[in-house]
Amino acid sequence: MDTGQLILQLELSRHPEGGWYRETYRSTEKITANGLPERYDSARSFGTAIYFLLESGDFSSFHRLKSDEIWHFYSGATVHIYMISEDGSLSTLILGSKLEEGENFQAVIPANCWFAAEPAEGVFSLVGCTVAPGFDFADFELADRFALTAAYPQHTSLIARMTRQ
Ligand code: GUN
């Protein structure tokens, strides 16, 4: 299938970070705010899952979440996930099916870590993303290019390439 067919078949919509997505699971049960750490402003679903598609040449721009997120590889190109932790260290997670080349079917992005992602080769990447406590746009922050560059000047060129302004 090409990306157009995948978008139709999986009923994907544009995501604000880039790429295409559809939420496929949201637990019916919720954790109340008093059962969550203070950074969450209200109740959250136990967990959520989405399909997430990056077309060739597209990217997920730098953003961060209040919860850990797990990416699951499904199909297409290997994905490079760039993570900048609070101390400024950069790491690259390689999500893909070539286990013999050190790729991983799953990658964990810790809460509060700035991250961005792109297909490593010239085709789409289809992945799943799961979050617990469940995803809420109130817990999602797109990076401002200038603020992120000021905080981590050692990563200026990567931040410029993986943000939209
Ligand atoms: N629902 C809407 N956007 C997202 C996202 O970026 N990650 C997850 N897991 N769920 C979402």
Side-chain angles (χ1 to χ4, degrees):
M1 269 198 197
D2 64 22
T3 50
Q5 289 170 313
L6 278 170
I7 289 164
L8 284 176
Q9 178 83 25
L10 300 177
E11 299 178 51
L12 305 181
S13 304
R14 281 271 179 213
H15 198 286
E17 76 197 44
W20 298 82
Y21 82 111
R22 179 167 57 87
E23 191 172 272
T24 51
Y25 169 74
R26 175 169 292 272
S27 61
T28 51
E29 291 179 286
K30 289 191 168 192
I31 315 169
T32 57
N34 63 10
L36 290 168
E38 275 184 9
R39 64 182 181 277
Y40 298 95
D41 60 2
S42 56
R44 292 286 179 272
S45 304
F46 284 0
T48 53
I50 58 168
Y51 283 126
F52 184 57
L53 174 77
L54 282 170
E55 295 176 88
S56 168
D58 196 4
F59 63 92
S60 159
S61 52
F62 268 106
H63 64 287
R64 65 180 174 182
L65 303 178
K66 289 184 182 174
S67 305
D68 297 341
E69 182 165 56
I70 306 171
W71 283 39
H72 312 254
F73 182 80
Y74 294 146
S75 176
T78 298
V79 185
H80 287 174
I81 304 172
Y82 308 106
M83 298 194 321
I84 302 175
S85 54
E86 256 169 305
D87 70 3
S89 55
L90 173 71
S91 42
T92 304
L93 305 178
I94 311 291
L95 189 72
S97 58
K98 298 172 205 143
L99 302 186
E100 68 283 5
E101 294 179 25
E103 299 183 354
N104 303 283
F105 281 127
Q106 297 184 347
V108 177
I109 298 104
N112 213 35
C113 189
W114 291 107
F115 69 104
E118 64 181 348
E121 305 130 35
V123 290
F124 71 85
S125 302
L126 178 67
V127 306
C129 306
T130 55
V131 178
F135 182 90
D136 190 303
F137 274 105
D139 305 330
F140 168 88
E141 185 183 4
L142 266 180
D144 175 85
R145 175 182 292 169
F146 302 102
L148 198 62
T149 304
Y152 304 111
Q154 66 274 39
H155 304 309
T156 296
S157 59
L158 179 68
I159 293 167
R161 193 162 70 74
M162 304 296 286
T163 52
R164 299 173 171 89
Q165 221 74 32

